[in-house]
Amino acid sequence: MKNPQVIDAATRRWRAALFLFMLATGVSMASWVARTPAVRDALGVSTGAMGLVLFGLSIGSMAGVLASGALVRRHGGRPAITVGAALLVAGLLVVAGGAELEVAGGVFAGLALFGAGMGLAEVAFNIEGAAVERAVGRPVLPVLHGCFSLGTVVGALLGMGLTAVGFPVGRHLAVVALAVAAAGAWTVRAMPAGTGREEPGTGGGRGGGLRAQAAVWRDRRLVLIGLIVLAMAFAEGSANDWLPLLMVDGHGTGATAGSLTFMLFAVAMTTGRFTGGPLLVRYGPAAVVRASAVVAAVGVALVVFSSSALLAGAAVVLWGLGASLGFPVTVSAAGEGARNASARVAAVSTAGYAAFLVGPPSLGFLADQVGLRYAMVVVLVLLGGAALITGALRTPAGGAAAGALPGTAAGPEPKPGAGPDDGAPPAVTGAEPGTTVGPVPRTAAGPVPAAKAEPATDGGAESGGLSRGASGRTP
């Protein structure tokens, strides 16, 4: 039996910081969503006018998503997350002020800032999370996104409680902004510098970096991974945008029952993301995502075609469990066995967030023609298509570096007399030349002092690596 892989204190702190800030981001998003009716009442606008106000969130989010990859390539993930956190906090404060002053334009501007911060931070978080995964040899992205889902549950419960007692929405969002600022400050301090950064002269310049970002789509495997993430993100985003209204209009439930159904979906998503690691270790990403797509499709089919509101509500659990792992697992697979890992992760993340932002709202136009329930057949078709191409998630033969721990990219051979503190952190094999994707496990460069390391017990693999038999890796 191989010795258990160890994780040094800095990497543990890095991973914990990402988890904390994703939790805070989820709380902030759900806090806003839960207080949307109160904000509309404070502004005194119609539902149609409120839709225009909400458009600020979409504009800002897409701008942030499109800018994030380039920012990470030039400066690394930490500056991108720093700017994103600052915009998140500023956006929440501006929304709070706009609601208190009853200025619709202020709320629009605040949502645009908030969305830009969300887009910047989340794409960078996927790149950071993929780097941590390669460093520790364990599934990390599912838990990272699980923290966001958990945050949405906490934020929704908090928002419902404060709404019930009539707590002012401006003060609520201001308090959440302060909590996000505190979490962001600690997160940035705990993160290593340079993750995902491309050095000048290696494709990391303005022109080269953008060309490298576009060039990754010439890989047929990445195109298939992009299609999978589009389908899975569409399935998740459709529930986030439409599930309460789907239950109210499509199945005749009350508004409270619709909100509780969405809460059930969020809990199922959270559960799936926190418990999916052992399944990934045992069966590999291709098998897990294929099963996830089928489970989600069964849930969506029951919601669409069942005449029983109770059965449809119960089927939402299948929808949530099935959709939970699709996005983080496909993003993780995009960076495996490839030279330009960070560019590939950024490209697939951008595709996924585009599906989140553009896809589900487009269902509204179709719903005007066929009704919201039958518009969800589009989700069903996309999930079926994704299930057929999940073989693309298997790591290509020879993609892992020789001699590496299973599931872990190997670092370069250490130079005589060199240690982990000599200069910049070593680059991980699987990245472009000149690209830093985060520190490698200390076991790749030498023994870890016992006082600073502990066995990595998460993930459930005795060997210390990702034992992905279905993905072509050796147990």
Side-chain angles (χ1 to χ4, degrees):
M1 181 185 299
K2 293 183 175 72
N3 293 327
Q5 189 174 337
V6 291
I7 307 175
D8 64 280
T11 303
R12 289 201 310 272
R13 190 163 55 249
W14 180 19
R15 181 177 59 179
L18 296 178
F19 289 164
L20 172 65
F21 194 70
M22 280 293 269
L23 178 72
T25 303
V27 170
S28 65
M29 173 60 80
S31 297
W32 152 251
V33 172
R35 301 310 298 267
T36 302
V39 172
R40 182 186 63 180
D41 294 343
L43 297 178
V45 298
S46 67
T47 301
M50 190 62 184
L52 294 176
V53 172
L54 293 173
F55 193 54
L57 182 62
S58 296
I59 293 174
S61 297
M62 186 54 67
V65 164
L66 293 176
S68 183
L71 183 58
V72 172
R73 287 194 303 275
R74 294 191 65 188
H75 302 289
R78 188 165 69 179
I81 292 174
T82 302
V83 175
L87 290 174
L88 276 171
V89 173
L92 283 171
L93 292 175
V94 173
V95 170
E100 289 292 320
L101 298 174
E102 302 179 2
V103 179
V107 176
F108 177 93
L111 288 176
L113 290 173
F114 181 83
M118 183 78 71
L120 275 174
E122 288 205 17
V123 173
F125 264 107
N126 284 313
I127 295 173
E128 293 279 344
V132 175
E133 242 176 22
R134 292 190 289 274
V136 304
R138 294 286 193 276
V140 171
L141 281 169
V143 179
L144 186 63
H145 286 265
C147 289
F148 179 86
S149 297
L150 178 61
T152 62
V153 175
V154 172
L157 289 172
L158 179 63
M160 290 170 62
L162 293 179
T163 298
V165 299
F167 193 82
V169 63
R171 296 180 189 177
H172 172 195
L173 296 180
V175 170
V176 172
L178 293 177
V180 173
W186 187 80
T187 296
V188 169
R189 291 181 61 188
M191 291 171 57
T195 305
R197 185 177 59 212
E198 297 174 355
E199 299 297 337
T202 60
R206 294 181 183 178
L210 292 176
R211 286 195 297 269
Q213 184 71 34
V216 297
W217 289 112
R218 298 174 186 169
D219 180 0
R220 177 178 176 274
R221 175 176 176 256
L222 190 71
V223 171
L224 293 176
I225 291 175
L227 292 175
I228 295 169
V229 81
L230 280 169
M232 301 305 290
F234 197 99
E236 180 182 345
S238 297
N240 288 335
D241 283 7
W242 295 110
L243 190 53
L245 192 58
L246 176 61
M247 295 303 296
V248 172
D249 291 354
H251 289 281
T253 68
T256 301
S259 297
L260 289 176
T261 302
F262 174 72
M263 181 70 67
L264 193 62
F265 174 83
V267 170
M269 288 279 296
T270 304
T271 302
R273 284 173 169 171
F274 276 110
T275 60
L279 294 176
L280 289 167
V281 170
R282 183 176 179 85
Y283 299 108
V288 168
V289 173
R290 184 184 302 114
S292 297
V294 171
V295 169
V298 170
V300 174
L302 289 173
V303 172
V304 171
F305 298 113
S306 173
S307 59
S308 167
L310 185 60
L311 179 58
V316 164
V317 174
L318 297 177
W319 188 346
L321 286 174
S324 61
L325 293 175
F327 184 83
V329 172
T330 49
V331 168
S332 175
E336 287 187 338
R339 292 176 60 251
N340 47 351
S342 60
R344 293 167 64 90
V345 168
V348 171
S349 298
T350 302
Y353 286 114
F356 277 128
L357 297 170
V358 178
S362 67
L363 290 176
F365 297 102
L366 182 60
D368 287 339
Q369 306 300 320
V370 300
L372 192 51
R373 274 175 67 178
Y374 293 106
M376 292 295 160
V377 172
V378 174
V379 180
L380 204 56
V381 171
L382 290 174
L383 287 170
L388 296 176
I389 58 174
T390 54
L393 299 177
R394 296 189 181 96
T395 303
L405 285 171
T408 307
E413 288 289 327
K415 297 179 180 179
D421 296 325
D422 294 342
V428 178
T429 299
E432 286 186 297
T435 302
T436 303
V437 292
V440 297
R442 292 295 190 262
T443 51
V448 183
K452 291 188 177 182
E454 65 177 17
T457 56
D458 54 310
E462 286 186 334
S463 67
L466 290 176
S467 185
R468 296 183 176 179
S471 66
R473 291 178 182 265
T474 304

